[in-house]
Amino acid sequence: VIADVADPHFDCHKLTLKLRERFPNTPVIAVGADDPSLLETAAEPAPFAGYLQKPFNLGSILEILDKLPRSDS
C-alpha cells in the first residue's frame, strides 16, 4: 500500500495501524514532501515500511520494494 501522508481526507498513521491490525504482513509506504524524520516522534515512531519523498521516480519505488521482506505465500 502506498499512502500520501499529506492527504487531507485521512490520517495516514491511523490507516497504517488499522491495516496492520487486519493485515499484519502488508507493508505501507508513505509518500510526502517533507523530511521523513518529521513523521517520527519519541512517543510514536512512524509505522511505515518505507518513505518516498516527493518528487520521486520509479527507481525510488523499486529501491524501497527491494528492501521489503519477501513472503513465500
Side-chain angles (χ1 to χ4, degrees):
V1 174
I2 297 177
D4 192 328
V5 295
D7 188 313
H9 295 70
F10 66 85
D11 182 319
C12 196
H13 275 84
K14 286 182 184 176
L15 169 73
T16 302
L17 296 174
K18 289 287 186 187
L19 282 170
R20 192 171 283 163
E21 286 175 13
R22 295 201 57 200
F23 309 100
N25 296 323
T26 300
V28 177
I29 299 168
V31 175
D34 295 324
D35 182 333
S37 65
L38 298 175
L39 296 175
E40 298 187 17
T41 66
E44 183 180 0
F48 310 113
Y51 183 81
L52 289 168
Q53 190 166 358
K54 295 177 185 178
F56 58 89
N57 58 33
L58 180 58
S60 300
I61 296 171
L62 294 175
E63 201 173 296
I64 288 177
L65 293 176
D66 283 342
K67 293 177 184 177
L68 295 177
R70 301 283 186 235
S71 172
D72 292 334
S73 55

